[in-house]
Amino acid sequence: AGEAVPLLQDLLERRPDVTLYRTALGQAQLEAGRIAASRTTLEEAMRLFPRNVPVTMRYAETLMRNGDPKQAHIVLLDLFNNVPPTPEQARFTALAANAAGDVADAYYYMSEYHVISGDLALAIDQLRLALAVPGLNEVQRQRFDARIRELQEYLPKGRRAKEIAGPTNPQPVDSRPR
């Protein structure tokens, strides 16, 4: 990574309009342990290319490594309120939220990771964990609850009945031989 930095700087000087050069330079600086330089490079890239997914992801990664998970969470939320995330990007947003101390949001973004990955039951479980976090405001509570109800609608009928019943009220099981 250290050897790549001067090469990427040279490329960037020649073609400052190429987003990839800025992103790669910021990544190389980060991997070479030049966290402040990486942050500066990627802040400039964010200014020039707002809401660019690779730039934002690299910037958030640098912020996390620089001990600023709150800012990482903010830039990721801004991005993914405008661009649908991939499963890995949703998971990274959950990690940033958790590192920033936003535990309920971390569960929410992990639920979105599971939705994108196709595991609705696990997504609902994550939302139930979010609802159990102390100190939720009413907007969060309603948001999580509404998302649970929405996801339950997509479950197959038998599975949906079990989900609606929840873990504390299991449905009776018919044990008679068929």
Side-chain angles (χ1 to χ4, degrees):
E3 293 173 17
V5 169
L7 298 171
L8 290 164
Q9 286 172 326
D10 184 51
L11 287 170
L12 185 56
E13 286 173 17
R14 287 191 234 166
R15 293 290 312 272
D17 60 319
V18 178
T19 311
L20 179 60
Y21 294 161
R22 289 181 193 279
T23 306
L25 175 59
Q27 183 180 8
Q29 290 167 325
L30 182 63
E31 294 306 316
R34 302 175 189 171
I35 297 173
S38 175
R39 187 170 179 161
T40 300
T41 298
L42 292 167
E43 282 174 349
E44 177 69 8
M46 290 283 291
R47 188 182 66 72
L48 294 171
F49 312 106
R51 295 189 179 131
N52 176 284
V53 174
V55 169
T56 304
M57 293 302 295
R58 293 295 179 212
Y59 182 52
E61 182 181 357
T62 296
L63 289 168
M64 293 284 288
R65 294 256 301 266
N66 195 39
D68 196 354
K70 193 109 181 131
Q71 186 62 30
H73 186 207
I74 289 168
V75 299
L76 290 168
L77 291 180
D78 176 64
L79 176 65
F80 297 129
N81 284 330
N82 294 285
V83 178
T86 65
E88 189 55 33
Q89 292 163 348
R91 189 183 74 71
F92 188 68
T93 303
L95 292 173
N98 191 53
D102 298 328
V103 178
D105 279 348
Y107 284 126
Y108 175 79
Y109 289 106
M110 279 307 293
S111 78
E112 291 305 304
Y113 166 81
H114 293 299
V115 167
I116 297 166
S117 300
D119 192 337
L120 299 184
L122 199 49
I124 291 168
D125 289 344
Q126 290 292 308
L127 288 164
R128 286 189 177 132
L129 289 169
L131 281 170
V133 172
L136 290 181
N137 63 44
E138 192 56 32
V139 171
Q140 288 174 306
R141 189 171 305 290
Q142 288 181 14
R143 177 179 170 210
F144 301 152
D145 192 48
R147 187 67 167 144
I148 289 171
R149 287 192 311 276
E150 178 185 12
L151 295 176
Q152 286 172 335
E153 291 298 316
Y154 291 102
L155 292 172
K157 290 200 187 288
R159 184 79 185 256
R160 182 171 167 240
K162 289 179 189 175
E163 282 299 324
I164 290 171
T168 56
N169 285 333
Q171 292 290 311
V173 176
D174 184 357
S175 59
R176 292 177 286 160
R178 300 211 184 259

